[in-house]
Amino acid sequence: MTAILQSSTATGMMASSFAAGRLVDLVPALAIMLGANVGTTVIVQILSFDIGLLTPILILVGVIAFKRGGQTRTRDLGRVAIGLGLVLLALHLLTQTVMPHDLSPQMQGVLHLLTSDPLVTLLLAAIFTWAAHASVAAVLLVMSLAAAGWITPVAALAMVLGANLGSALNPVLQAMGGDREKLRVPVGNLLNRLVGCAIALPLLPYAVEWLDADILDGGPARLAANFHTAFNLALAALFILPLPLLAMLMKKLFPATERSLDPGAPLHLDREAIENPSVALTNAAREALRMADAAEQMLRGSQLVFETADRKLVSEISRMDDTLDKLHGAIKRYLTDISREQLDEEQSQRLSEILAFTINLEHIGDIVDRNLMDLASKKIKRQLSFSEEGLGEIRQMHARLLEHLKLSISVFMAGDLWSARQLVAEKEQFRDLEKLATERHFERLREGRSESIETTELHLDIVRDLKRIESHIAATAYPLLEQLGVLRRSRLTEAKS
């Protein structure tokens, strides 16, 4: 990924955000940074060869794919090829720009003085790389100076170490001032680089002899490029196994920020991820799952209220609806802040799915709070009891709703077509179940059952509201079915002439 992006800073920021948002555990996030550091060396190796012919080919292929491509995927790949070609062109021009052509004797003396001490050379290169925000540019400059013979091979390798150290500073500085957890990955990466530089600095004379062997012979510029790659590969091999220990150290240095005790406070809606639609949509989906958990608790609690007549539980369920409303509002505002211009067709569809899912969950919460809990309060106040058969029917419908809610979560997260079809089919079966429960209730009324007579209004209203909840659960499958073109526009049959 970093070889394509040509920016370990970008990869580091994404890894830090993923780790802070708990999308990725800290150990894999630190491993991502080891890979990112190796990835930055790939473009340096490529640019050390003549790639002038590759740039126009990539741009030409990209333009043709973008203009002529009939599918979205082809056009997207065309954009990628154009972008990669332009980036390679920019880096090639950068190489030509920083290539020194002539230096005065005075300037050569200053340069020799600054690079006479490897430690000072390392620090100067680190400062330059931090200011330039580009380790690739810094290493290319080092290669140019080495090729011109204006710095010694040891000084060139010390500057490569400094470039690696300086590139690790940017993610740390950008993560400061926010959530402490976001410092874990960049600081861990910086610590890796510091240890690597401390080990490699005294060994630079030996590295010059080893890397300048016949098998790697290619001049001072090739020496710097090979050392850049070897250094990062060595760091990856050295730290890949101790990463769990490093993760423990980072967690102690940067403990997790205490989360709000308010259950309605969002946990995953990272405002800094708004500029990255893929991450932002994933955050919103995770928060939507919290809404699903709250809706499930409300459904379970409503069934328990009808069986136990617990007034306290009625109040708790009403507070759960407040939680559901807060989460829904936060997700809606978060999704609204995502720039529509940055969304591709698939991401726009996913945004609509998240909105539809959360809206249906919010409606379910309203039905439970404003309807079912109102009916439960009437039942408790009047000290009514359902018949055993009537309570069993309500219990059965609740159980089916809970199963269907879990199925809707599977459709929402996995986009499973079979589950979506099953969810819509269950809606039809639930309609039959509601009809059967109503018919049996009227049979008990005709039999003169006192419990059924006293609770007839409550029983019919509860069955009706449970059916409404089922409709909202089944509606979560509609966006997927509509997208795949397998949803009928109407249940009405054509009129016969």
Side-chain angles (χ1 to χ4, degrees):
M1 179 65 70
T2 306
I4 296 174
L5 293 176
Q6 283 127 46
S7 175
S8 61
T9 300
T11 307
M13 293 302 298
M14 287 191 290
S16 300
S17 179
F18 291 157
R22 293 176 174 82
L23 293 174
V24 176
D25 193 40
L26 184 55
V27 173
L30 291 170
I32 288 174
M33 290 309 304
L34 292 179
N37 298 335
V38 175
T40 57
T41 69
V42 175
I43 190 62
V44 172
Q45 289 288 347
I46 293 175
L47 291 174
S48 64
F49 299 98
D50 185 10
I51 59 168
L53 185 61
L54 182 61
T55 296
I57 292 176
L58 282 173
I59 296 176
L60 178 61
V61 171
V63 170
I64 294 175
F66 180 74
K67 293 291 187 180
R68 303 291 184 180
Q71 298 181 353
T72 302
R73 180 62 58 86
T74 304
R75 292 169 61 85
D76 288 342
L77 290 176
R79 288 191 180 97
V80 171
I82 294 172
L84 186 58
L86 292 176
V87 169
L88 291 178
L89 175 61
L91 290 174
H92 179 69
L93 294 175
L94 176 65
T95 304
Q96 300 300 318
T97 302
V98 301
M99 180 72 73
H101 298 285
D102 191 18
L103 287 178
S104 64
Q106 294 83 0
M107 191 62 189
Q108 291 185 35
V110 172
L111 189 61
H112 176 73
L113 179 64
L114 292 176
T115 58
S116 58
D117 187 335
L119 179 59
V120 174
T121 304
L122 184 152
L123 294 176
L124 290 175
I127 294 173
F128 172 79
T129 306
W130 163 76
H133 281 64
S135 61
V136 173
V139 175
L140 290 177
L141 176 61
V142 173
M143 293 169 58
S144 301
L145 293 173
W150 287 321
I151 58 174
T152 65
V154 173
L157 301 193
M159 292 182 72
V160 169
L161 291 180
N164 281 273
L165 183 61
S167 65
L169 292 173
N170 293 316
V172 175
L173 296 177
Q174 293 183 25
M176 294 178 66
D179 191 346
R180 289 178 297 180
E181 292 183 66
K182 289 188 176 181
L183 284 168
R184 292 174 176 176
V185 174
V187 171
N189 178 58
L190 178 60
L191 184 60
N192 289 344
R193 298 289 186 98
L194 283 171
V195 173
C197 289
I199 295 175
L201 191 62
L203 303 177
L204 290 184
Y206 306 101
V208 170
E209 296 178 4
W210 179 66
L211 291 174
D212 202 29
D214 291 340
I215 192 173
L216 295 174
D217 189 23
R222 169 61 54 190
L223 174 67
N226 289 336
F227 178 73
H228 184 44
T229 301
F231 175 72
N232 283 282
L233 285 173
L235 281 186
L238 178 64
F239 284 100
I240 191 67
L241 293 181
L243 283 184
L245 298 177
L246 179 60
M248 292 175 58
L249 175 62
M250 292 300 102
K251 289 179 180 179
K252 289 182 178 180
L253 293 177
F254 307 103
T257 305
E258 293 184 4
R259 302 290 180 179
S260 173
L261 298 178
D262 182 7
L267 299 180
H268 309 297
L269 304 182
D270 183 6
R271 304 301 304 182
E272 296 182 11
I274 289 291
E275 300 300 325
N276 191 327
S278 297
V279 179
L281 292 175
T282 302
N283 291 341
R286 295 184 69 200
E287 207 66 54
L289 292 182
R290 294 187 63 212
M291 286 188 66
D293 291 338
E296 181 180 355
Q297 292 179 23
M298 293 180 71
L299 277 175
R300 293 185 184 277
S302 64
Q303 170 59 34
L304 192 59
V305 165
F306 289 123
E307 295 186 3
T308 62
D310 188 346
R311 292 181 181 274
K312 183 179 179 181
L313 187 54
V314 173
S315 300
E316 291 179 1
I317 292 175
S318 296
R319 286 195 294 271
M320 290 181 193
D321 183 57
D322 295 336
T323 297
L324 207 60
D325 291 340
K326 290 180 181 178
L327 291 176
H328 176 244
I331 294 173
K332 184 168 59 176
R333 290 188 297 272
Y334 187 75
L335 292 176
T336 302
D337 291 339
I338 298 176
S339 174
R340 295 299 189 273
E341 289 77 10
Q342 297 182 8
L343 298 177
D344 57 27
E345 183 178 349
E346 183 178 352
Q347 290 170 339
S348 297
Q349 178 66 30
R350 183 55 174 166
L351 188 146
S352 299
E353 291 174 358
I354 296 172
L355 280 176
F357 185 68
T358 55
I359 288 173
N360 282 294
L361 291 176
E362 197 268 339
H363 287 332
I364 291 172
D366 288 342
I367 295 173
V368 174
D369 178 34
R370 300 173 185 176
N371 295 76
L372 292 181
M373 290 303 96
D374 183 57
L375 296 172
S377 298
K378 291 180 180 179
K379 175 180 176 294
I380 296 172
K381 183 178 180 180
R382 299 174 187 176
Q383 297 183 349
L384 301 176
S385 298
F386 293 113
S387 65
E388 190 62 34
E389 295 87 345
L391 185 60
E393 291 163 0
I394 294 175
R395 185 184 297 117
Q396 181 183 8
M397 296 178 74
H398 266 94
R400 295 285 288 274
L401 287 177
L402 289 170
E403 292 176 2
H404 297 170
L405 181 59
K406 293 179 180 178
L407 192 61
S408 71
I409 296 173
S410 175
V411 173
F412 173 68
M413 293 303 296
D416 181 39
L417 178 59
W418 181 89
S419 298
R421 288 181 176 273
Q422 183 69 19
L423 196 57
V424 176
E426 290 288 347
K427 178 184 176 182
E428 302 296 329
Q429 297 180 14
F430 197 88
R431 182 183 291 109
D432 295 337
L433 184 63
E434 178 258 346
K435 182 179 179 181
L436 181 61
T438 302
E439 292 175 351
R440 288 178 177 175
H441 176 72
F442 281 116
E443 288 179 3
R444 292 191 294 271
L445 289 178
R446 288 192 291 268
E447 294 174 0
R449 301 278 294 273
S450 58
E451 299 96 333
S452 299
I453 295 174
E454 293 174 350
T455 61
T456 181
E457 180 184 352
L458 294 177
H459 188 279
L460 294 177
D461 285 345
I462 291 171
V463 170
R464 178 203 62 192
D465 290 332
L466 294 180
K467 178 185 174 183
R468 290 174 59 199
I469 292 175
E470 171 66 21
S471 297
H472 285 296
I473 293 176
T476 60
Y478 292 162
L480 176 62
L481 295 175
E482 186 176 2
Q483 178 186 0
L484 298 176
V486 296
L487 187 66
R488 289 184 299 177
R489 299 187 64 180
S490 175
R491 297 178 63 246
L492 296 174
T493 59
E494 295 183 1
K496 297 182 179 179
S497 58

